Amino acid sequence: MAFIDSTVVNVALPALQASLHTTVVGVQWVVESYGLFLGALILVGGSLGDLFGRRSMFLLGVGIFAAASIACGLASNIQQLVIARSVQGIGAAFLVPGSLSIISASFDEKTRGQAIGTWSGFTAITTAVGPVLGGWLIQHASWRWAFFINVPIAATVIAISLRSIPESRNATARHVDWLGALVATVGLGGAVYGLIESISLGWSHPLVFGSLIAGCACLVGFVFVEARVSSPMVSLELFESRSFSGANLFTLFLYAALGIFFFLFPMNLIQVQGYSPTAAGAAALPLILLIFFLSRWSGGLVARYGPRAPLVIGPLIAATGFVLFAVPAVGASYWKAFFPAFVVLGFGMAISVAPLTTVVMSSIDQSRAGTASGINNAVARVAGVLAVAVLGIVLVKSFSSNLNRSLMSELLPPGILQYVRSNEIKLAGLDLPSGLDADTTALIRVSISRAFVYGFRVAMLICAGLSLASVAVASLMIPDKTG
């Protein structure tokens, strides 16, 4: 459910933007509201499972997720959809950490590895099949089925869980860090709100300026809260390990690049390149399959060469992949333009993912491996949330400047120019007035497509820069030997 949702919704964004007549800000909130609550509360979800029962919290997460999915599918406007997505993120914060903790509690050391391997296999299958199936449903039914698809899965999960999963708790679990969770959520929410709404309201608007100040203050305060509470959500002691700090900074940069890529790429394929949702969902299969089939091999690189080498080489290759995505123009062939870029990016990520996990798990005492893994998971999700908020601003500004330059050179009526400028926040989903003649409509459409590709290229080059930043972090902070 969680992995399908994180991939299918991106494919559904162009369709729901057209259906709900929303701007890129509304589309951003559809992604950000889910990621914000999941990233901020995922560690709390794990703690609640240890304290009150892993199965109970897992089932609660599944129920909330399913109910919120129904609300998403029934939403009649963007505001209702964003609220439902927020609730869905809260459900995912119980669901995601509960799955692995249940496996760890249900299997002994001899069989646990096989169980986690099975879990990883199903994760890879749903990550690969989900966008294709979801894209087909979006194309032949409605974008609402990107959410309704969760309901039968949830019913099956609940039935199996009640019958087959024993309840388990952590006898040493202490209090839940509610204050830390509140401060983190408000801090992330304030920062993200200010960044996203600055596109439509402007930086000087009191809501934008005030939320940015409050959000940043809460994020700084979060560090002080975690240093003083008895059972912190994020144990700051773990960051005394240079390699653990480096691994999380590496994760922040690399997964920020991935987050903005998977947000923008379906829009490029569907709204600009003319792909169907099914084709757009299938486009990323080379990347997913490369990570799946090569992760075991790349994990062995750590034992042979140490973690630093693959964590330098992998992001370098990924940066090359992002640069290749900046090359294609409007009407580019998938097999000549996008497929090679996906192969290069997928190979780079395949080299990076398993060694990164190894560094995270081996850089601290094994008794705290679960906490370390949870923190790294949260960092990866927060990285995507922040990237979509920040680079959304860059995309809109790049799109706007390029479109204005293009249209100024044409002899268009002032009223048409004003209409396009007032609606350019919709990016490639911009609707044109019905009274325009065919030649003018075609001219403006070409300018809009070229402007979006220009903004997409800028974003991809920034993604390449983020990948190179992770190379620098690996070179300076990751040891050449594990432990």
Side-chain angles (χ1 to χ4, degrees):
M1 286 169 60
F3 281 91
I4 286 175
D5 196 79
S6 63
T7 52
V8 173
V9 170
N10 286 340
V11 178
L13 291 179
L16 68 86
Q17 181 184 8
S19 174
L20 300 179
H21 307 289
T22 188
T23 65
V24 69
V25 172
V27 170
Q28 282 179 285
W29 275 119
V30 172
V31 174
E32 297 287 75
S33 55
Y34 174 84
L36 193 155
F37 281 96
L38 174 56
L41 300 178
I42 190 170
L43 293 173
V44 173
S47 299
L48 287 172
D50 291 339
L51 189 63
F52 297 111
R54 297 183 178 97
R55 186 183 74 166
S56 298
M57 291 299 105
F58 177 73
L59 287 173
L60 177 63
V62 172
I64 293 173
F65 196 95
S69 296
I70 295 173
C72 289
L74 296 175
S76 59
N77 56 56
I78 194 66
Q79 291 80 13
Q80 293 177 6
L81 180 57
V82 169
I83 292 171
R85 284 283 286 168
S86 300
V87 178
Q88 202 179 34
I90 295 171
F94 293 105
L95 164 65
V96 172
S99 60
L100 271 178
S101 63
I102 286 172
I103 289 178
S104 298
S106 302
F107 293 87
D108 58 29
E109 291 186 8
K110 293 182 179 179
T111 57
R112 189 177 300 149
Q114 290 179 319
I116 293 176
T118 303
W119 180 93
S120 300
F122 274 90
T123 296
I125 290 170
T126 54
T127 305
V129 175
V132 182
L133 174 61
W136 187 87
L137 288 171
I138 294 162
Q139 180 179 345
H140 296 284
S142 168
W143 62 265
R144 300 179 187 277
W145 281 97
F147 301 104
F148 287 146
I149 193 175
N150 293 319
V151 179
I153 301 175
T156 306
V157 168
I158 291 172
I160 294 174
S161 300
L162 291 174
R163 186 187 66 198
S164 304
I165 297 178
E167 185 60 279
S168 62
R169 293 178 176 82
N170 184 352
T172 62
R174 296 176 290 177
H175 301 293
V176 177
D177 181 15
W178 291 113
L179 179 59
L182 176 64
V183 174
T185 304
V186 173
L188 276 175
V192 169
Y193 179 87
L195 290 168
I196 292 178
E197 293 299 328
S198 68
I199 297 173
S200 56
L201 299 178
W203 292 104
S204 60
H205 194 282
L207 279 177
V208 172
F209 185 77
S211 61
L212 283 172
I213 295 296
C216 292
C218 285
L219 291 176
V220 173
F222 176 74
V223 177
F224 291 95
V225 169
E226 297 304 277
R228 285 164 174 76
V229 296
S230 57
S231 302
M233 185 171 71
V234 176
S235 179
L236 300 182
E237 295 176 359
L238 295 176
F239 290 92
E240 294 175 1
S241 165
R242 181 180 177 85
S243 56
F244 181 76
S245 298
N248 282 285
L249 192 57
F250 179 100
T251 300
L252 184 70
F253 287 131
L254 189 59
Y255 280 81
L258 278 181
I260 192 63
F261 171 77
F262 280 111
F263 175 73
L264 293 178
F265 189 72
M267 295 184 189
N268 187 5
L269 284 190
I270 296 171
Q271 294 179 328
V272 175
Q273 307 293 345
Y275 284 54
S276 69
T278 308
L285 279 176
L287 182 150
I288 297 166
L289 294 176
L290 278 170
I291 294 175
F292 176 64
F293 286 113
L294 296 182
S295 288
R296 183 180 178 88
W297 165 77
S298 66
L301 295 176
V302 177
R304 188 171 181 179
Y305 301 105
R308 182 189 296 164
L311 291 182
V312 168
I313 295 171
L316 276 175
I317 298 173
T320 305
F322 286 124
V323 171
L324 290 177
F325 275 112
V327 175
V330 179
S333 164
Y334 174 79
W335 294 107
K336 292 181 179 179
F338 296 117
F339 177 76
F342 266 121
V343 170
V344 174
L345 178 59
F347 187 57
M349 290 303 302
I351 294 175
S352 306
V353 172
L356 174 61
T357 303
T358 302
V359 172
V360 171
M361 303 303 283
S362 64
S363 59
I364 43 84
D365 187 87
Q366 289 306 296
S367 63
R368 311 183 77 176
T371 302
S373 177
I375 291 173
N376 188 250
N377 195 334
V379 169
R381 296 180 183 279
V382 169
V385 170
L386 293 176
V388 171
V390 174
L391 289 187
I393 300 171
V394 175
L395 180 69
V396 170
K397 297 299 183 184
S398 302
F399 174 85
S400 175
S401 63
N402 185 274
L403 182 61
N404 285 329
R405 284 199 305 271
S406 176
L407 294 182
M408 284 297 292
S409 63
E410 306 293 340
L411 299 176
L412 295 176
I416 298 300
L417 285 174
Q418 180 60 34
Y419 176 86
V420 172
R421 286 171 181 165
S422 63
N423 287 275
E424 60 190 13
I425 196 173
K426 294 182 179 180
L427 298 180
L430 195 155
D431 297 317
L432 296 179
S434 57
L436 292 178
D437 62 85
D439 290 340
T440 303
T441 300
L443 186 151
I444 297 175
R445 281 286 173 213
V446 169
S447 296
I448 290 172
S449 296
R450 289 175 177 171
F452 186 91
V453 169
Y454 175 80
F456 182 79
R457 286 171 171 167
V458 172
M460 290 304 98
L461 293 177
I462 292 174
C463 288
L466 289 169
S467 297
L468 294 178
S470 66
V471 171
V473 170
S475 301
L476 296 173
M477 300 183 70
I478 302 298
D480 56 3
K481 295 181 180 180
T482 56

